[in-house]
């Protein structure tokens, strides 16, 4: 029987800084390109695997406190940074793997003010290179 | 522990106009192109950072004065823009030199007169910093409060905006300068930028080149004329985080 998990303490770290409860969700999306290789005499479409690609999407609350998330995002805009995320802040393990890689900040919502709403946003980070799934 | 906030006092000044009481939504999106640099031998797609840009938008309720201002600004570039977390002094602010590319207004029966605007920074002159001054009725020469913000590294810049929101008096003139120093007492201030003397409502944007090791900053102003009075806002932003 699978263990049901509610992610209440996911740890997201960028450039060595744990972002704490400024982050409200973290999705990592892995894609593998499929290139069609179908030819004459094939009865079915056939494909070959191409490059792998990945992105990480974070939903967050802005924090305008000095040195907090809003200031960090401004500094990370247009840069490559190390990215790490794991289910909980506990030790990395087989049941608490950490995804590790390098991301580029391609689109950063630096400011969002809507009357009556908490300031925040969603940011999609472009992974570059290999996404590692570490278990120790 | 993060401090999420509902921004109930956010502000946006464009050129010589304060749009706060018209707006109910403000956003800035900073973009950077990720250029594919994958080569043979790579197991994954790899990317390098390309050109950066920043876009802004706002939406809200229109009235006649705001409509007149925005119609004037629509299609113009190099407009001074300041967007702030709050209009109070020392609040986090973003400054830029922008174009107002898109302006849409909507009028429907029995519905508020609404609008939205979108634009983009004209060039590199976009930074994050603080609202340094928000003066409602300045009638005499004065000096603002110095604040410790940051130094400017070589190759980087700071950007300052001046929004003159109202002018009255006979031949009134307002000249604002930006000073830096290495101490809070400003015992050895250096002038880093001087705005053109303002005699009318309007906005200005200027830049300061690094390196500058001083990390204290303030604005000073000189007022002349007969019974002059000015309302103005000054903000200072940096390319580097502060």
């Amino acid at each position: 029987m699978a263990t049901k998990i509610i992610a209440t303490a996911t740890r997201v770290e960028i450039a060595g800084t744990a972002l704490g409860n400024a982050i409200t969700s973290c999705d990592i999306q892995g894609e593998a390109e499929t290139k069609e290789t179908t030819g004459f005499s094939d009865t079915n479409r056939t494909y070959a695997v191409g490059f792998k690609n990945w992105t990480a999407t974070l939903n967050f609350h802005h924090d305008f406190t000095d040195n907090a998330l809003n200031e960090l995002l401004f500094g990370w805009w247009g840069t490559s940074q190390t990215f790490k995320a794991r289910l909980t802040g506990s030790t990395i393990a087989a049941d608490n793997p950490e995804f590790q890689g390098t991301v580029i900040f391609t689109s950063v919502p630096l400011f969002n003010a809507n009357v009556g709403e908490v300031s925040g946003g969603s940011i999609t980070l472009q992974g570059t290179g290999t996404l590692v799934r570490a278990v120790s | 522990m993060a401090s999420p906030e509902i921004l109930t006092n956010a502000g946006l000044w464009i050129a010589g106009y304060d749009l706060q009481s018209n707006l109910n939504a403000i956003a800035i999106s900073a973009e950077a192109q990720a250029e594919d640099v994958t080569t043979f031998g790579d197991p994954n797609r790899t990317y390098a950072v390309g050109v950066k840009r920043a876009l802004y938008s706002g939406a809200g309720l229109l009235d006649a004065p705001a409509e007149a201002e925005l119609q004037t600004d629509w299609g113009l570039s190099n407009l001074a823009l300041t967007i702030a977390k709050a209009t109070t002094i020392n609040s986090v602010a973003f400054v830029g030199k922008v174009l107002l590319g898109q302006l849409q207004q909507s009028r429907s029966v029995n519905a508020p007169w609404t609008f939205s605007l979108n634009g983009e920074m004209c060039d590199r002159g976009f930074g994050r910093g603080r609202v340094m001054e928000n003066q409602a009725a300045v009638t005499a020469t004065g000096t603002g409060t110095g604040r410790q913000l940051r130094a400017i590294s070589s190759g980087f810049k700071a950007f300052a905006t001046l929004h003159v929101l109202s002018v009255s008096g006979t031949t009134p003139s307002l000249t604002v300068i930006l000073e830096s120093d290495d101490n809070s007492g400003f015992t050895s201030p250096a002038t880093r930028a001087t705005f053109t003397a303002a005699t009318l409502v309007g906005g200005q944007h200027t830049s300061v080149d690094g390196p500058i090791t001083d990390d204290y900053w303030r604005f000073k102003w000189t007022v002349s004329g007969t019974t002059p009075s000015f309302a103005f806002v000054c903000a200072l932003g940096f390319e580097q985080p502060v």
Side-chain angles (χ1 to χ4, degrees):
Chain A
M1 180 68 77
T3 304
K4 310 298 191 293
I5 299 172
I6 295 176
T8 57
T10 294
R11 177 186 167 87
V12 177
E13 181 183 309
I14 294 175
T17 301
L19 301 182
N21 68 348
I23 306 299
T24 59
S25 75
C26 173
D27 298 323
I28 299 172
Q29 177 78 25
E31 308 275 355
E33 296 172 16
T34 52
K35 301 297 181 183
E36 184 166 353
T37 55
T38 314
F40 294 125
S41 82
D42 284 336
T43 56
N44 293 75
R45 293 221 176 260
T46 60
Y47 298 88
V49 176
F51 285 115
K52 293 166 115 178
N53 211 337
W54 62 280
T55 59
T57 301
L58 306 176
N59 287 313
F60 64 90
H61 295 312
H62 268 305
D63 184 348
F64 292 93
T65 310
D66 197 25
N67 300 319
L69 185 61
N70 186 261
E71 184 177 338
L72 292 171
L73 288 175
F74 182 78
W76 290 335
W77 165 39
T79 67
S80 302
Q81 302 292 342
T82 58
F83 169 86
K84 297 177 180 176
R86 60 182 192 259
L87 189 60
T88 76
S90 303
T91 306
I92 300 169
D95 62 353
N96 189 32
E98 182 172 85
F99 293 88
Q100 304 168 342
T102 300
V103 295
I104 296 176
F105 283 74
T106 54
S107 180
V108 183
L110 286 178
F111 188 88
N112 286 89
N114 288 284
V115 166
E117 303 292 337
V118 174
S119 181
S122 178
I123 183 169
T124 298
L125 306 170
Q126 177 62 58
T128 178
T130 304
L131 176 67
V132 174
R133 183 180 184 274
V135 293
S136 63
Chain B
M1 183 69 75
S3 303
E5 287 183 74
I6 298 173
L7 304 183
T8 56
N9 192 30
L12 185 153
W13 297 274
I14 188 165
Y17 203 83
D18 179 357
L19 273 175
Q20 186 195 35
S21 63
N22 296 97
L23 290 165
N24 55 31
I26 306 170
I28 300 174
S29 178
E31 315 275 342
Q33 288 178 257
E35 302 294 345
D36 192 340
V37 293
T38 313
T39 62
F40 295 119
D42 288 334
N44 294 75
R45 289 259 175 223
T46 57
Y47 297 89
V49 177
V51 175
K52 294 163 77 174
R53 64 193 290 220
L55 304 102
Y56 71 98
S57 63
L61 308 174
L62 208 49
D63 58 12
E67 193 269 344
E69 173 67 23
L70 292 173
Q71 286 294 340
T72 301
D73 294 342
W74 172 43
L76 297 182
S77 59
N78 297 319
L79 297 165
L81 176 82
T82 301
I83 291 175
K85 170 182 172 275
T87 57
T88 46
I89 289 173
N90 211 28
S91 296
V92 170
F94 296 87
V95 303
K97 188 166 59 174
V98 302
L99 61 86
L100 177 51
Q102 190 174 68
L103 175 63
Q104 181 174 357
Q105 55 174 293
S106 176
R107 306 179 202 212
S108 299
V109 171
N110 201 33
W113 184 15
T114 60
F115 78 107
S116 63
L117 57 88
N118 293 281
E120 182 165 353
M121 305 299 155
C122 293
D123 57 20
R124 173 183 172 181
F126 173 64
R128 183 184 186 277
R130 300 288 186 273
V131 176
M132 297 289 282
E133 301 295 335
N134 188 352
Q135 299 287 346
V138 164
T139 57
T141 297
T143 302
T145 303
R147 293 183 176 82
Q148 187 176 27
L149 295 174
R150 65 162 301 131
I152 308 174
S153 302
S154 178
F156 290 90
K157 293 172 182 274
F159 308 103
T161 51
L162 167 65
H163 304 275
V164 179
L165 306 173
S166 72
V167 179
S168 64
T170 304
T171 61
S173 179
L174 171 73
T175 302
V176 177
I177 66 170
L178 174 64
E179 290 184 339
S180 71
D181 208 331
D182 61 359
N183 66 87
S184 60
F186 278 81
T187 56
S188 53
T191 300
R192 299 302 183 181
T194 303
F195 289 106
T196 303
T199 57
L200 301 168
V201 166
Q204 296 182 49
H205 176 285
T206 190
S207 63
V208 180
D209 292 328
I212 292 175
T213 56
D214 291 348
D215 57 352
Y216 286 86
W217 299 85
R218 73 180 181 187
F219 286 94
K220 288 178 71 174
W221 50 92
T222 303
V223 171
S224 63
T226 304
T227 62
S229 182
F230 294 88
F232 67 90
V233 170
C234 295
L236 179 61
F238 297 81
E239 280 189 302
Q240 298 168 280
V242 61

